[in-house]
Amino acid sequence: RAASRFEVDGSPEAAKKSEDDLIASLKLNPLSGFARYNLGKVYMREAKYKEAIIQLELAGGLFPRKLDVPFELMTCYARTGETDKAAAAKAKFERLRKEATEVSVLQKRCSLKKDDFDAHLKLGRLMLLDGNNRQALYYLQRAVTLNPKSLEANSAFKELSKQINTTLMNMKK
């Protein structure tokens, strides 16, 4: 609620209330990437770029593949004169944006061409990299079905199985 309140009402009072709510949220859950990202945005709007960088870097650690984080970091680094870090954040943003576009294209290709082994394998691998096990499972299973002898598809499928087993073991702890 805090973040959306500030997006609607950009007043100093709304900014302070949003900041207070987000800080309270972080006391309850310090690993909330959403709260860290939005607190960073609040700090950006208040031109508190050093504080924003701290929160956005933490959010980036929690959401390493979220496009918005390096984009906002790029702005903060540029405003604080950290040009090397701004360039690195820009490069990461552009890489993530390219990957997101590639995922979109591959999803369309897979839905139109159900027998496209290469598209299913590539999309399955990207979903695996993204940590999206459910979608990785679908696309990699389809790739293995299309070409059961493919070493690449079977290797990626085994990697997914390991990742799922690790997740399940961690849940039992």
Side-chain angles (χ1 to χ4, degrees):
R1 281 185 8 227
S4 61
R5 176 186 315 113
F6 184 59
E7 293 294 325
V8 173
D9 176 8
S11 70
E13 296 80 22
K16 179 64 177 143
K17 180 67 175 143
S18 294
E19 181 179 352
D20 292 344
D21 288 351
L22 290 164
I23 290 170
S25 173
L26 287 169
K27 286 180 182 174
L28 294 173
N29 180 8
L31 297 178
S32 171
F34 174 81
R36 296 229 177 257
Y37 171 74
N38 283 293
L39 184 56
K41 286 185 66 175
V42 168
Y43 287 148
M44 282 180 70
R45 288 212 178 160
E46 296 175 338
K48 296 177 182 177
Y49 299 112
K50 294 286 187 186
E51 291 92 337
I53 288 170
I54 293 167
Q55 296 305 320
L56 292 169
E57 285 177 345
L58 289 168
L62 296 165
F63 294 131
R65 301 190 51 78
K66 183 171 171 48
L67 272 169
D68 301 357
V69 175
F71 182 82
E72 303 296 355
L73 276 169
M74 176 180 62
T75 302
C76 289
Y77 290 139
R79 300 263 168 91
T80 58
E82 299 176 71
T83 54
D84 289 345
K85 287 185 177 183
K90 181 180 180 184
K92 182 173 183 178
F93 168 75
E94 289 173 348
R95 181 180 51 80
L96 290 173
R97 184 179 59 189
K98 181 181 175 189
E99 288 176 11
T101 301
E102 185 176 17
V103 165
S104 178
V105 168
L106 286 169
Q107 285 173 328
K108 289 173 187 166
R109 187 175 300 152
C110 288
S111 68
L112 294 173
K113 297 180 179 182
K114 304 280 188 211
D115 294 334
D116 188 334
F117 167 77
D118 291 327
H120 282 83
L121 176 60
K122 191 165 191 176
L123 185 54
R125 289 179 140 191
L126 285 171
M127 292 294 103
L128 182 61
L129 179 67
D130 211 22
N132 189 335
N133 292 341
R134 187 177 55 81
Q135 285 195 13
L137 179 63
Y138 172 79
Y139 292 110
L140 290 175
Q141 272 183 332
R142 184 71 184 138
V144 169
T145 300
L146 290 170
N147 187 352
K149 294 182 181 180
S150 167
L151 294 177
E152 279 185 282
N154 283 298
S155 174
F157 195 78
K158 284 179 186 174
E159 186 179 334
L160 172 63
S161 296
K162 286 180 189 175
Q163 195 167 312
I164 290 171
N165 286 334
T166 300
T167 301
L168 291 173
M169 294 303 286
N170 289 336
M171 289 173 67
K172 289 181 181 180
K173 291 180 181 179

